[in-house]
Amino acid sequence: MIPLSRRAYVAALDLGTISSRCIIFDRTGSPIGVAQREHRQIRPQPGWLEHDRIEILARVDEIVAGALAVAGISAHELA
């Protein structure tokens, strides 16, 4: 395991209305890995919009793994 003081990357999550995104940044603030997945829009009646929390959680797992893979790093390297 890498000591926290030596970890060089930060992950940011953006959970939006249409999709979820994860961006991995290096110490300079440059993005080095991005992953995004859409999720269903549930419209139970006009003017309402809902999301499935289980689906959102699954998307978070997918986008974090995807962004780490694109960046070529492991989760242990995140601060």
Side-chain angles (χ1 to χ4, degrees), residues 9-14 21-27 29-36 62-73 78:
Y9 307 100
V10 173
L13 298 177
D14 173 17
R21 175 182 299 116
C22 178
I23 305 173
I24 308 289
F25 295 94
D26 66 14
R27 285 186 183 263
S30 298
I32 62 165
V34 178
Q36 178 179 351
E62 294 166 5
I63 62 174
V64 170
L68 288 168
V70 169
I73 65 169
L78 295 174

Side-chain angles (χ1 to χ4, degrees), residues 42-50:
I42 303 166
R43 299 180 188 279
Q45 66 183 45
W48 287 26
L49 176 64
E50 297 177 357

